[in-house]
Amino acid sequence: MVNHPLMQSHTFLSTPYITPHILHKNYAAAADHDEQNNFMGQDMDYFSQAGFDMDKIHLKRNAPVAQLYEDAVRYEGAVISSSGALINFSGKKTGRSPKDKRIVYEAGSKDEIWWGSVNIKMDEHTFEITRERAIDYLNTRDLVYVFDGFAGWDPRYRIKVRVICARAYHALFMNNMLIRPTEEELKNFGEPDFIIYNAGQFPANRFTKGMSSTTSVEINFKRMEMVILGTEYAGEMKKGVFSVMHYLQPVKFGQLSLHSSANVGIEKGDVTLFFGLSGTGKTTLSADPRRQLIGDDEHVWSDTGVFNIEGGCYAKCINLSAEKEPEIYNAIKFGSILENVVYNPNSRVPDYDDVSITENTRCAYPIEYIPNARIPCVVNSQPRNIVMLTCDAFGVLPPVSKLSPAQASYHFLAGYTSKTPGTEDGVMEPIPTFSTCYSAPFIVLHPSRYARMLAERMAQHNVDCWLVNTGWVRGKFGSGAGRRCPLAVTRKIVDAIHDGTLAKAEFKE
């Protein structure tokens, strides 16, 4: 008999013998169709009407985290890190594609949108073509994942979001970033307010009118739908939901959506909003052991208080360490996703200093993984302080300034900071940079609308506003006298804001 290597490998890979009496009835069983496809008749009709071939695809709705892990490992090449997080990769695109973002130009919303380089017009017919292309692609997949969740912790202003995608990684990501419904809420979910069709593995057709590349990220406020083609970067879904809330909150609900972090004092219940661009310390300073974290990125300042839009956090992992950011470091465990993070193939230990894939390495985890998170993420009291963070590299701004309402509006519209060497490839000297409302890539309405609402709310509730410079003092970057304001000093400044002593100090105008 020929001792062929293929025959040997076949023998080696055959099912190992397992003592029958230790097997449970569910051993190695796939989830039951009925258990996962827990849609009612009307819901199933919706998928048929949308163009899904229900005879071919298998829908997994709000699949358990463990099952999404199994599918990501089996079908997508994901690995499980030493701490239990899922390590997955977004492919060619490792960040957002702002030049490929489009908003449909239609009668209902066209007069509200701030059209230009951020919000690029797309006609309704082109949207229908790309939507059909996305559904056609999803119809070729054996597994299609559906996640139903909420955006906004206040039930009066929240929206129901449905995500339809072909990757377990994307379903798990949105399971972490949206607010997870209870079993009862899921049973009575009904029709969603907003739907994301994520066919990111499949390219957009470059010859379709208005396409600038094989990537297309588009939102239609008439249909309340989003279509993603040609990018598997999960952050596009998160920011798509934020863009929709940036539109709906002021237009439909009359509330102010903000790109900010927020926390609340444990003793006094005083709320602080933190604004700041990348590298200014927004995430670090809003994490405070004496205060509860409401959220790290997206909030709404409502008539009754402040609530988080998201159910999770999407933290940067570059140079992450247990010493510098213990809360984020310890949140990277089972249920979390590490995105584009390099790891040791033998130990599966992530290397947060390795940026060979991208500097934009990320982790997405449920907000309850942060020990001092406030759950539910809503506070029914008005903010007492607003902290606008900037990293000034030119030694002009003092460590802290108290702003008048007019100055607060100016700095909110300017959104100033400095890009410093080390923050981005090719940055050798400090570069002043501006992001209106600290939110330029996600703004949907004209910036003055958000600024006016902010000024009105500040005046109505007598909110103090502070400009805190986490950058260079006593001189500019690179000069002998200049040095970056130490984090310990900035923390003391923020503490003095919270305990009220700074408001009583004398200021030089």
Side-chain angles (χ1 to χ4, degrees), residues 301-315:
W301 184 350
S302 74
D303 294 336
T304 55
V306 173
F307 65 88
N308 191 350
I309 288 173
E310 301 181 296
C313 303
Y314 193 35

Side-chain angles (χ1 to χ4, degrees), residues 252-265:
K252 182 179 177 182
F253 298 115
Q255 310 304 318
L256 176 59
S257 49
L258 298 168
H259 189 210
S260 73
S261 61
N263 65 22
V264 57

Side-chain angles (χ1 to χ4, degrees), residues 126 129-130 133 202-216 218 229-230:
T126 302
I129 291 171
T130 55
R133 189 171 174 90
F202 200 62
N205 185 335
R206 289 180 296 115
F207 297 100
T208 307
K209 182 185 173 186
M211 290 296 115
S212 52
S213 74
T214 56
T215 298
S216 181
E218 55 216 44
L229 290 166

Side-chain angles (χ1 to χ4, degrees), residues 31 36 39 59 66-67 89 104 111 114 167 276-277 333 355 376 401 434 477 491:
Q36 286 312 315
F39 289 101
L59 291 175
Q67 191 181 112
F89 303 93
V104 173
D111 295 333
W114 184 41
R167 286 193 69 176
L277 303 180
K333 55 187 180 182
V355 295
S401 317
F434 302 87
F477 175 91
R491 282 201 184 279

Side-chain angles (χ1 to χ4, degrees), residues 154 156 255 271 300-307 378-383 457:
D154 190 326
R156 292 170 298 176
Q255 310 304 318
V271 176
V300 172
W301 184 350
S302 74
D303 294 336
T304 55
V306 173
F307 65 88
V378 57
V379 179
N380 289 319
S381 59
Q382 297 293 333
R457 276 166 158 69

Side-chain angles (χ1 to χ4, degrees), residues 382-401:
Q382 297 293 333
R384 191 171 298 174
N385 290 290
I386 291 174
V387 176
M388 294 182 178
L389 299 164
T390 185
C391 175
D392 175 37
F394 303 96
V396 176
L397 294 174
V400 61
S401 317

